[in-house]
Amino acid sequence: MTYFFLKNFVLGPVLRLLFRPWSRGTEHIPKNGGAILASNHLSFVDSIFLPLKLRRPVTFLAKSEYFNGKGLRGALIKWFFISTGQIPIDRSGGKASEDSLNTGLGVLERGLLLGIYPEGTRSPNSDMHRGRTGIARMALEAGVPVIPVAMIDTDKVQPLGAKYPKIHRVGVVIGEPLDFSRFAGMEGERAVLRSVTDQIVYNIHRLSNQKYEDVYASTVKSRLARAE
C-alpha cells in the first residue's frame, strides 16, 4: 500500500513533472509471474526511475549500507527503501552472497519482478562493465526470463559522489525477454554461468549504447581510487 501511495500520489507526480522520464519497450514486461529485470547501473536513482515507468512493482536487492545510516537522514533513507519494497543484502561475499541469492529466489518464487544490476555496483565512469554471474545462477535456478533494461542519462541526475540531484530528463529502454531454459539444470557449470551473464550484459549494452569495458566495475573503482 505504501509503495502504491508513494508512486502514484507522492513521489511519482513530482518526479514525472521535474524529470519528464520517457520509456520504450514497456510492452516486454510480463503482466504476471516472476521475471528478472537486468539493468545497467549509472546512479542511485536508477532504482527510482525504473519502477516509476512500470505498472508492476519491482523489488530490488539493495546493499545493506542503505539501511544502516545514522541520524534523521539515515532513518529517512531506510524508510524510503523499505516502503518501496527494496530488500537489504550483504555484499561481502561468501555465505552472504549465498544468502543474497536465496533472497532473490524467494522474490521470484512469489511471482514478483526482481531488479538486479549485473555489474554488481554503480559504474564509476558511465561505461558498461563485466557482469557478475550471480544473475545467471538465479535465472537458471528460478527458471524465469531475464529482461534487459537500459537506464539513460540517470548519471546526469545523480552522479557518483553527488549529494543532491540535478534536473535532467532520463529514459528507460526495455528489451525483449531472454529465455535461458535451454540451460536448465546447468546452474553449477561455471562456463554456462559466464556465457549466460555475458549474453545478458551484451543485450543491456546494445540498448544503452554505453562504451563496454571487459573488467569488473569494482576493479575500475579501485583503480580510480589508487590514481587519486
Side-chain angles (χ1 to χ4, degrees):
M1 181 62 70
T2 304
Y3 181 102
F4 177 82
F5 185 75
L6 283 174
K7 177 180 177 181
N8 294 285
F9 299 104
V10 183
L11 288 178
V14 175
L15 294 173
R16 291 186 182 95
L17 177 65
L18 292 177
F19 298 97
R20 299 177 296 124
W22 58 270
S23 62
R24 185 168 69 241
T26 54
E27 69 275 8
H28 297 311
I29 302 295
K31 294 182 179 179
N32 50 63
I36 294 174
L37 302 184
S39 173
N40 59 338
H41 197 12
L42 296 173
S43 169
F44 167 81
V45 299
D46 292 331
S47 301
I48 298 174
F49 284 109
L50 174 54
L52 188 65
K53 298 303 296 180
L54 304 181
R55 292 187 177 182
R56 293 181 62 185
V58 183
T59 299
F60 286 91
L61 301 183
K63 63 181 181 179
S64 57
E65 289 89 335
Y66 287 140
F67 298 80
N68 300 328
K70 297 180 180 180
L72 178 61
R73 183 174 183 274
L76 287 173
I77 291 176
K78 179 180 179 180
W79 171 81
F80 173 79
F81 272 78
I82 292 175
S83 298
T84 53
Q86 304 199 43
I87 300 175
I89 60 168
D90 184 343
R91 302 193 304 182
S92 59
K95 185 179 183 300
S97 297
E98 188 70 24
D99 291 341
S100 299
L101 176 72
N102 291 331
T103 298
L105 289 173
V107 171
L108 295 170
E109 286 171 3
R110 296 199 301 273
L112 305 177
L113 295 179
L114 179 65
I116 298 179
Y117 301 113
E119 293 168 278
T121 187
R122 280 182 286 176
S123 172
N125 56 5
S126 296
D127 293 343
M128 187 85 197
H129 300 91
R130 186 176 175 87
R132 302 282 182 175
T133 58
I135 186 173
R137 184 178 167 192
M138 200 176 296
L140 298 188
E141 286 199 23
V144 297
V146 177
I147 303 170
V149 177
M151 303 303 298
I152 309 297
D153 288 339
T154 51
D155 53 335
K156 294 180 173 61
V157 172
Q158 187 86 19
L160 197 65
K163 289 185 178 181
Y164 303 103
K166 300 177 181 179
I167 303 301
H168 193 287
R169 197 174 190 196
V170 301
V172 180
V173 182
I174 301 170
E176 296 182 6
L178 305 175
D179 179 9
F180 296 108
S181 59
R182 62 190 181 281
F183 297 118
M186 303 177 69
E187 56 269 16
E189 301 289 335
R190 289 187 179 183
V192 170
L193 295 182
R194 173 45 58 193
S195 175
V196 169
T197 302
D198 288 347
Q199 289 181 57
I200 294 170
V201 170
Y202 169 76
N203 278 273
I204 299 171
H205 171 249
R206 184 172 55 85
L207 296 173
S208 70
N209 289 320
Q210 292 169 268
K211 176 184 175 182
Y212 178 74
E213 190 173 1
D214 193 24
V215 63
Y216 292 120
S218 57
T219 301
V220 177
K221 280 186 176 182
S222 298
R223 182 195 303 162
L224 293 174
R226 288 194 300 270
E228 292 177 357

